[in-house]
Amino acid sequence: MTEETWDVVIVGAGLSGLSAAQTLRKRNGKLRILILEGKDRVGGRTVTQELPAARGIDRWDMGGQWVGSTQTYVMDLIQEFGLEVYTQYTTGKKVHHVGGPHAKVRTSSTSIPALSTLVLLDLSQLVWKIDRLSSTVSVEDPMKTPNAQELDSMTLHSYIEKHAWTEEMKEEIGVCSRVVFGMEPNQMSFLYFLMYAAAAGGVLCLLESTPGSAQEFRVKTLDCKAALCPQGGTQQLSERLAQQIGWESVRLGKAVTAIWQDAEQANVMTATHSYLCRAVIVTCPPHLAAKIHYQPALPIQREHLTQNMPVGHLMKFVITYQMAFWREKGFSGEIVARPSAECPLSVTFDGTSPSGSAALVGFISGVQAYDWSSRELSERRDAVILSLVKYLGEEAASYIHYEEKDWALEEYSGGCPVNVMAPGLLTYYHPSLCTPCGRIHWAGTETATQWCGYMDGAIQSGQRAALEVLARLCPFTLTQEEQEAVQAAQNQNHESGPCQHIPSTSHLRRALILTTLIMATAVLLAQPQLCRDWIGQARQVVLRRFALW
Amino acid sequence: MTEETWDVVIVGAGLSGLSAAQTLRKRNGKLRILILEGKDRVGGRTVTQELPAARGIDRWDMGGQWVGSTQTYVMDLIQEFGLEVYTQYTTGKKVHHVGGPHAKVRTSSTSIPALSTLVLLDLSQLVWKIDRLSSTVSVEDPMKTPNAQELDSMTLHSYIEKHAWTEEMKEEIGVCSRVVFGMEPNQMSFLYFLMYAAAAGGVLCLLESTPGSAQEFRVKTLDCKAALCPQGGTQQLSERLAQQIGWESVRLGKAVTAIWQDAEQANVMTATHSYLCRAVIVTCPPHLAAKIHYQPALPIQREHLTQNMPVGHLMKFVITYQMAFWREKGFSGEIVARPSAECPLSVTFDGTSPSGSAALVGFISGVQAYDWSSRELSERRDAVILSLVKYLGEEAASYIHYEEKDWALEEYSGGCPVNVMAPGLLTYYHPSLCTPCGRIHWAGTETATQWCGYMDGAIQSGQRAALEVLARLCPFTLTQEEQEAVQAAQNQNHESGPCQHIPSTSHLRRALILTTLIMATAVLLAQPQLCRDWIGQARQVVLRRFALW
């Protein structure tokens, strides 16, 4: 077995690992840094692919694609590399098809979803309740959240069952959970969900394309002929980081199988090589970090944690067209659909490239991915196209190319977009996710406290782990403040998270509540019959509660 | 890398792997069978240890120790080896200390726990509800359970929060969950809990020491000088199986790291060896099976499942005494205690050996194990002894030896007694737990349909996997009926589980309900003040519900 010696070995060449390397390199150019990656490419859960399009060949992100103005880490990186972002296209009618098997297809041209008055009211009260709870969560240490034990003891599903008034709202939450986590609401801790929302600045930030939200911008795909842009899309962030660090420090196709450590050093092993070093940063998702063999064994708290952090199941598709026919028909390209035997997709967006190649992007996720992943590609494609025809018109059938990526099948990913926590873990084991184990430091977007689960969180976590390693190997490269911050984080003494610095989305919430209240009052005054119906529905909800109880 | 060729390679030399080998050997003596075990011993989660005792040295089970008359697989094995069982000692007062920080220590001499009338009524209604739900569960295919989706969407905690009347009952369920699963009620799916209870014949079967229950018998520790008994206790079942199969077929200290397979054969790899074979049976617990590297990758459903099946955290202790002083004082040795800063133990039992060496055995589990595992042994021991002194008297301080085993720290176990399922899994992924993947067949007590999680389930699962392998390699060794059964199981066509053949425990339930009703009526008639108190308590429960709603 070939043996090499380094200062720091980083496991994983996604945004997290490469950001860690960048920070280490910037602070101390003398550190010998090696990045080992199982895949044959950098970028982790971001990958940009060339597809046949209206203007010949264009590029689309088959993984993470959106960034937002409150995602300060990724926006800084974009600025550092002189890249540009552009706003997600949202003009026009949004299609909404949720609300039981007999639901009508609704459209809306505003940012308020096309829901009935009662469901809008239900949405408002639910978002208000969840945001209120979310604002009490300590992102660094969810155990400090008031009533943490109780919030962590139920699934998101259980909370919604208890607090949503309408069946349609419950279905809506299913769609949201599928799209954001690739996971059903019954698979995750409600406290974890609150923590995740808090790290993003509020629950609506996870769902919207408005300023400050998760789907605000996309990264421009520059012309591939430019010397500095080997691929374009979001993967170029990782490509450029690798270039900056030096490609000679990145070894692809090198899956780490074991990490041994003693008082002297750590030994990071692949099937054929052994890399001795003074510190290791493991950046791969928890379920993959759990597959590495550690000697001595990791603390059982960490082992138990990574046994219980399932990764989402997400398939992304991109469909290219001669022209963005939906725009001409007044649609934004945004579709939100309920799971059904015929329709695999959960959500679509306009995916037209900055150079004008028309496309729709969408996701098959959670239970829908489970149901559809084992079928033939052609069957899935035909079902997706059929759904698009139903929602956007016949033109959807005349596509140029259909491309999809099932992240669960990608080796050294095994799922996307993020690992969540099952109930009963956050209140016991959360600190184990970041606490260094000897010479091993942990990064990856799942360990982030700002936009956990996103590219932004990946970068934040990489930089945080790099500071930890610098504090260990060469503390003189850190300011007094940074050293204290590292120490404080490791002592879990933080009382509040950086999420508090993210602009509040309460104006969105307030706007939504106000609008629905005004709409509801107007409609009810104008339509006495609707008023009676609504009271009838409300009465049924109340009666059902009593019957259940 | 040394290469060998075999017919069947079995991963794991616990009861499951050894039972699989025994069945294969019995049906076809020509099959070349190899068992690979990571540990340096056979027995998996059963291990018997020599400890200093009143009569010199005696043996105690530091892992699985109880069997019951309805556990037909393990009872058959005990009979086959000419071993004997003896009844768990339960005569005398049972100590019960549950019910909030100011709870009184209560004792009871009957099989009915020492609870207040209201809590007894609460227990009755809860056991009745859970058993009624449990009887509707299809153990082979929980997806077929009526309302499966909803039952799997909540934690056991959420169900109890909704259906228990009293805070004390909620605490009781915590203790039960800790003792049975080494897990908190908020960490597992309620449907999984129901399935587990159904596989055991009812929820009380999991908790009691009465006929048909989990804690009914212990296996006699025979004299070690006898030629056929190298160790005694329950581990001797595995020792004898290994002897019967032939020790030359069992390789200890051989941890499997990878399993590759193609159309021709499978290749089971350790760090130094490569074993080619026609079929593999993997018997290790799901979280360890998940650490093996498979090529081609396993179906994502299975990967997602094993990412979400946490193992319990259980520490077992055995304390030997000069004499069973508790018996003389009228105690049974059974203590059930609430978690507190002072008391690490959840439960204790009389553990006196058949040869008369006095001992108490007990468990530190779930949240208590989490809190206490990182402290020094001496601190834990002193706290356990102090608790025993509190509950049984000063004599508890004069012990001969204190021995404990933290199963989370044992390599190639990482926890005990069983892996459970987090919410949202059973209804999607359960079939993946048993469905063969190419040449790989799955066993282990977690895959059992009778006494899942127990030694009995381990044996059942090993025999089932062996039949699957025989159906593949030499179907002529199976009866037509067996072939059809293997086929049917693989098609998941079973409509009902063997749990239905286990004698019902409804008589226990009925007795409990009747007794509590009679007691309650008598007490309430005799004590009008108590009646008023009880109505007051009930009123508070109702008011709290309304407030929550």
Side-chain angles (χ1 to χ4, degrees):
Chain A
M1 190 172 268
T2 320
E3 207 171 272
E4 296 177 30
T5 304
W6 299 81
D7 287 315
V8 186
V9 173
I10 297 169
V11 183
L15 274 171
S16 182
L18 292 161
S19 298
Q22 186 197 35
T23 303
L24 291 171
R25 186 74 90 212
K26 275 184 183 169
R27 295 299 183 101
N28 187 345
K30 289 182 183 167
L31 281 176
R32 294 161 304 156
I33 304 162
L34 179 70
I35 306 170
L36 299 172
E37 169 60 52
K39 299 180 198 279
D40 57 2
R41 60 170 181 82
V42 297
R45 286 170 262 186
T46 61
V47 63
T48 313
Q49 208 168 320
E50 293 196 337
L51 304 178
R55 299 173 177 229
I57 293 287
D58 215 329
R59 275 157 219 92
W60 276 271
D61 286 316
M62 301 307 294
Q65 71 174 32
W66 285 289
V67 295
S69 50
T70 61
Q71 299 181 347
T72 51
Y73 290 92
V74 72
M75 293 307 282
D76 284 352
L77 198 64
I78 286 168
Q79 197 178 15
E80 182 181 338
F81 290 144
L83 299 174
E84 286 172 31
V85 296
Y86 64 105
T87 306
Q88 169 65 38
Y89 183 84
T90 56
T91 314
K93 288 181 287 184
K94 294 161 184 63
V95 177
H96 200 94
H97 191 207
V98 179
H102 307 298
K104 282 183 193 157
V105 180
R106 295 164 184 257
T107 59
S108 153
S109 297
T110 69
S111 66
I112 297 172
L115 301 168
S116 72
T117 317
L118 180 61
V119 180
L120 264 181
L121 278 172
D122 197 4
L123 173 65
S124 303
Q125 64 92 17
L126 210 55
V127 167
W128 181 75
K129 277 182 186 161
I130 291 176
D131 265 348
R132 202 179 46 163
L133 279 173
S134 177
S135 68
T136 67
V137 171
S138 160
V139 181
E140 273 86 3
D141 190 355
M143 292 166 81
K144 291 185 179 149
T145 306
N147 210 16
Q149 183 78 39
E150 192 53 37
L151 297 170
D152 190 39
S153 293
M154 65 178 91
T155 60
L156 170 59
H157 174 98
S158 291
Y159 181 85
I160 300 300
E161 272 298 309
K162 194 167 175 184
H163 293 276
W165 301 340
T166 61
E167 288 305 313
E168 187 175 336
M169 197 59 235
K170 294 174 190 173
E171 208 178 296
E172 293 284 349
I173 298 290
V175 176
C176 296
S177 167
R178 240 162 267 139
V179 174
V180 175
F181 301 98
M183 193 80 66
E184 297 300 307
N186 63 8
Q187 295 183 288
M188 87 185 83
S189 150
F190 180 54
L191 179 59
Y192 183 83
F193 174 78
L194 292 176
M195 190 275 284
Y196 201 87
V203 70
L204 286 176
C205 284
L206 298 174
L207 304 173
E208 299 205 332
S209 312
T210 50
S213 298
Q215 285 75 233
E216 184 178 1
F217 300 130
R218 290 171 58 198
V219 181
K220 267 198 181 168
T221 305
L222 300 179
D223 180 5
C224 197
K225 284 161 197 154
L228 273 170
C229 172
Q231 287 206 351
T234 55
Q235 196 183 359
Q236 68 183 317
L237 293 172
S238 295
E239 296 276 357
R240 284 176 180 233
L241 278 168
Q243 198 158 2
Q244 195 184 70
I245 298 153
W247 278 103
E248 68 283 359
S249 300
V250 185
R251 306 265 172 95
L252 303 176
K254 295 283 178 199
V256 170
T257 55
I259 303 176
W260 294 1
Q261 56 176 326
D262 57 28
E264 304 299 319
Q265 60 190 3
N267 185 354
V268 182
M269 285 170 270
T270 65
T272 53
H273 285 67
S274 173
Y275 306 90
L276 303 177
C277 60
R278 294 156 68 202
V280 189
I281 301 178
V282 176
T283 71
C284 47
H287 70 285
L288 296 182
K291 285 181 186 280
I292 296 173
H293 184 257
Y294 300 89
Q295 207 171 46
L298 298 181
I300 43 176
Q301 282 83 355
R302 191 182 154 92
E303 281 288 326
H304 283 185
L305 185 70
T306 53
Q307 277 164 31
N308 219 346
M309 285 193 63
V311 65
H313 192 174
L314 201 68
M315 303 167 80
K316 183 171 182 177
F317 58 82
V318 176
I319 311 169
T320 58
Y321 287 95
Q322 281 301 339
M323 52 190 295
F325 66 90
W326 55 94
R327 292 191 184 184
E328 292 182 11
K329 295 176 82 172
F331 287 107
S332 69
E334 195 177 323
I335 302 169
V336 174
R338 62 183 302 277
S340 72
E342 302 80 35
C343 177
L345 62 89
S346 305
V347 70
T348 66
F349 290 91
D350 184 299
T352 303
S353 76
S355 62
S357 300
L360 287 169
V361 300
F363 301 96
I364 305 171
S365 53
V367 64
Q368 284 161 296
Y370 175 74
D371 288 344
W372 285 86
S373 64
S374 53
R375 307 199 201 175
E376 292 294 318
L377 183 141
S378 59
E379 198 183 340
R380 251 186 332 267
R381 181 194 59 211
D382 294 350
V384 166
I385 298 295
L386 215 63
S387 302
L388 293 178
V389 166
K390 176 176 164 188
Y391 296 127
L392 302 177
E394 279 300 333
E395 301 92 326
S398 309
Y399 60 91
I400 299 172
H401 183 78
Y402 173 92
E403 186 70 31
E404 63 170 30
K405 184 162 185 74
D406 185 346
W407 280 91
L409 298 182
E410 166 132 335
E411 208 178 1
Y412 308 114
S413 281
C416 222
V418 67
N419 293 59
V420 306
M421 286 191 196
L425 274 193
L426 264 171
T427 49
Y428 297 123
Y429 303 122
H430 181 263
S432 312
L433 199 58
C434 297
T435 309
C437 300
R439 297 177 176 278
I440 308 174
H441 298 257
W442 309 101
T445 190
E446 284 80 4
T447 68
T449 53
Q450 175 174 309
W451 283 99
C452 170
Y454 291 81
M455 289 184 269
D456 192 61
I459 299 167
Q460 186 215 18
S461 75
Q463 293 183 4
R464 188 254 313 140
L467 293 187
E468 285 173 17
V469 167
L470 291 167
R472 168 196 290 271
L473 301 187
C474 39
F476 57 87
T477 60
L478 301 187
T479 63
Q480 184 64 25
E481 204 180 4
E482 284 170 337
Q483 286 188 38
E484 282 167 14
V486 167
Q487 196 55 48
Q490 290 188 6
N491 293 342
Q492 293 133 32
N493 284 338
H494 275 194
E495 293 297 329
S496 59
C499 60
Q500 297 187 345
H501 308 307
I502 298 171
S504 161
T505 58
S506 56
H507 62 284
L508 281 171
R509 183 164 50 73
R510 272 189 228 115
L512 189 61
I513 294 171
L514 258 176
T515 317
T516 42
L517 281 175
I518 293 165
M519 273 176 63
T521 315
V523 168
L524 294 178
L525 287 173
Q527 307 224 359
Q529 178 56 39
L530 201 66
C531 181
R532 276 192 291 276
D533 288 354
W534 182 72
I535 291 169
Q537 279 183 49
R539 194 170 152 268
Q540 273 183 2
V541 170
V542 174
L543 286 175
R544 203 176 317 123
R545 284 301 168 95
F546 274 99
L548 274 177
W549 181 70
Chain B
M1 190 172 268
T2 321
E3 206 171 273
E4 297 177 27
T5 304
W6 299 82
D7 287 315
V8 186
V9 173
I10 297 169
V11 183
L15 273 171
S16 182
L18 292 163
S19 298
Q22 185 197 37
T23 304
L24 291 171
R25 186 73 91 213
K26 275 184 182 170
R27 295 299 183 101
N28 186 344
K30 289 181 184 168
L31 281 176
R32 292 162 305 157
I33 304 161
L34 178 70
I35 306 170
L36 298 172
E37 169 60 53
K39 298 179 199 278
D40 57 3
R41 60 169 182 83
V42 297
R45 285 169 263 186
T46 61
V47 63
T48 312
Q49 210 167 319
E50 292 196 339
L51 303 179
R55 299 174 178 231
I57 295 287
D58 214 330
R59 275 157 219 92
W60 276 272
D61 285 316
M62 300 306 295
Q65 71 174 32
W66 285 289
V67 295
S69 50
T70 61
Q71 298 180 347
T72 51
Y73 290 92
V74 72
M75 292 307 282
D76 283 354
L77 199 63
I78 286 168
Q79 196 177 18
E80 183 181 338
F81 290 144
L83 299 174
E84 288 172 31
V85 295
Y86 64 103
T87 307
Q88 170 63 39
Y89 184 83
T90 56
T91 314
K93 288 180 287 183
K94 294 161 185 63
V95 177
H96 200 93
H97 190 207
V98 179
H102 307 297
K104 283 184 193 156
V105 179
R106 295 164 185 256
T107 57
S108 154
S109 296
T110 68
S111 66
I112 297 173
L115 301 168
S116 72
T117 317
L118 180 60
V119 179
L120 264 181
L121 277 171
D122 196 4
L123 173 65
S124 303
Q125 64 93 16
L126 210 55
V127 167
W128 181 75
K129 277 181 185 161
I130 293 176
D131 264 348
R132 201 179 48 163
L133 279 173
S134 177
S135 69
T136 67
V137 171
S138 162
V139 181
E140 271 86 2
D141 191 354
M143 293 166 79
K144 291 184 179 149
T145 305
N147 210 16
Q149 183 78 40
E150 193 52 39
L151 297 171
D152 190 38
S153 292
M154 65 179 90
T155 60
L156 170 59
H157 173 98
S158 292
Y159 182 85
I160 298 301
E161 272 299 309
K162 194 168 175 182
H163 292 277
W165 300 339
T166 60
E167 289 305 313
E168 186 174 337
M169 196 60 235
K170 293 174 190 172
E171 208 178 296
E172 293 283 348
I173 299 291
V175 176
C176 296
S177 167
R178 240 161 267 140
V179 174
V180 175
F181 300 98
M183 194 78 68
E184 297 300 306
N186 63 7
Q187 295 182 289
M188 87 184 85
S189 151
F190 181 54
L191 179 59
Y192 183 82
F193 174 79
L194 292 175
M195 188 276 283
Y196 202 87
V203 70
L204 287 176
C205 285
L206 298 174
L207 304 174
E208 300 206 332
S209 311
T210 50
S213 298
Q215 286 74 235
E216 184 178 2
F217 300 130
R218 290 172 57 200
V219 181
K220 268 199 181 168
T221 305
L222 300 179
D223 180 6
C224 196
K225 284 161 198 158
L228 272 171
C229 171
Q231 286 206 353
T234 55
Q235 196 183 359
Q236 68 183 317
L237 293 171
S238 294
E239 295 276 358
R240 285 177 180 230
L241 277 168
Q243 195 158 4
Q244 196 185 68
I245 297 153
W247 278 103
E248 68 284 0
S249 300
V250 184
R251 306 265 173 95
L252 302 177
K254 295 282 178 201
V256 170
T257 54
I259 304 175
W260 294 3
Q261 55 176 326
D262 58 26
E264 305 298 318
Q265 61 191 1
N267 185 353
V268 182
M269 284 169 272
T270 65
T272 52
H273 284 68
S274 173
Y275 306 89
L276 304 177
C277 61
R278 295 155 69 201
V280 189
I281 302 177
V282 175
T283 71
C284 46
H287 69 286
L288 297 182
K291 285 181 186 279
I292 297 172
H293 184 257
Y294 301 89
Q295 207 173 45
L298 298 182
I300 43 177
Q301 282 82 357
R302 191 183 154 92
E303 281 287 327
H304 284 185
L305 184 71
T306 53
Q307 278 164 31
N308 220 346
M309 285 192 66
V311 66
H313 191 175
L314 201 69
M315 303 167 81
K316 183 172 182 178
F317 59 81
V318 176
I319 311 169
T320 58
Y321 287 95
Q322 281 301 339
M323 51 190 296
F325 67 89
W326 55 92
R327 291 191 186 185
E328 291 181 13
K329 295 176 84 172
F331 289 107
S332 70
E334 195 176 322
I335 303 169
V336 175
R338 63 183 302 275
S340 72
E342 301 81 35
C343 177
L345 61 88
S346 304
V347 70
T348 65
F349 291 90
D350 183 299
T352 303
S353 76
S355 63
S357 300
L360 287 169
V361 302
F363 301 96
I364 305 170
S365 54
V367 66
Q368 285 162 295
Y370 175 73
D371 288 343
W372 285 87
S373 64
S374 52
R375 306 198 201 177
E376 292 295 319
L377 183 142
S378 59
E379 198 183 341
R380 255 188 328 269
R381 180 195 58 210
D382 293 350
V384 166
I385 297 295
L386 215 63
S387 302
L388 293 179
V389 166
K390 176 178 166 186
Y391 296 129
L392 301 177
E394 280 300 332
E395 301 92 326
S398 309
Y399 59 92
I400 298 172
H401 183 79
Y402 173 92
E403 185 71 32
E404 63 170 30
K405 186 165 185 72
D406 185 346
W407 279 90
L409 298 181
E410 165 132 336
E411 208 177 1
Y412 308 114
S413 282
C416 222
V418 67
N419 294 60
V420 306
M421 286 190 195
L425 275 192
L426 264 171
T427 50
Y428 297 123
Y429 302 123
H430 182 263
S432 312
L433 199 58
C434 297
T435 310
C437 299
R439 296 177 178 278
I440 307 173
H441 298 256
W442 309 101
T445 190
E446 283 81 4
T447 68
T449 52
Q450 175 175 308
W451 284 98
C452 170
Y454 291 80
M455 289 184 267
D456 193 61
I459 299 167
Q460 186 215 17
S461 75
Q463 293 183 4
R464 188 255 313 138
L467 293 187
E468 284 174 18
V469 168
L470 290 167
R472 168 197 289 269
L473 300 187
C474 39
F476 57 87
T477 60
L478 301 186
T479 63
Q480 184 64 28
E481 204 180 5
E482 283 170 338
Q483 286 188 40
E484 283 168 12
V486 168
Q487 196 56 48
Q490 291 187 7
N491 292 343
Q492 293 133 31
N493 284 337
H494 276 193
E495 294 296 331
S496 59
C499 59
Q500 298 187 344
H501 308 307
I502 298 172
S504 161
T505 57
S506 56
H507 60 285
L508 281 172
R509 184 166 47 75
R510 272 188 230 117
L512 189 60
I513 294 172
L514 258 176
T515 316
T516 42
L517 280 176
I518 291 165
M519 272 177 63
T521 315
V523 169
L524 294 178
L525 285 174
Q527 306 224 356
Q529 179 55 40
L530 202 66
C531 181
R532 276 192 292 274
D533 287 353
W534 181 71
I535 291 170
Q537 280 184 47
R539 196 171 152 267
Q540 274 185 1
V541 170
V542 172
L543 286 176
R544 203 174 316 124
R545 285 300 170 96
F546 273 98
L548 275 175
W549 182 72

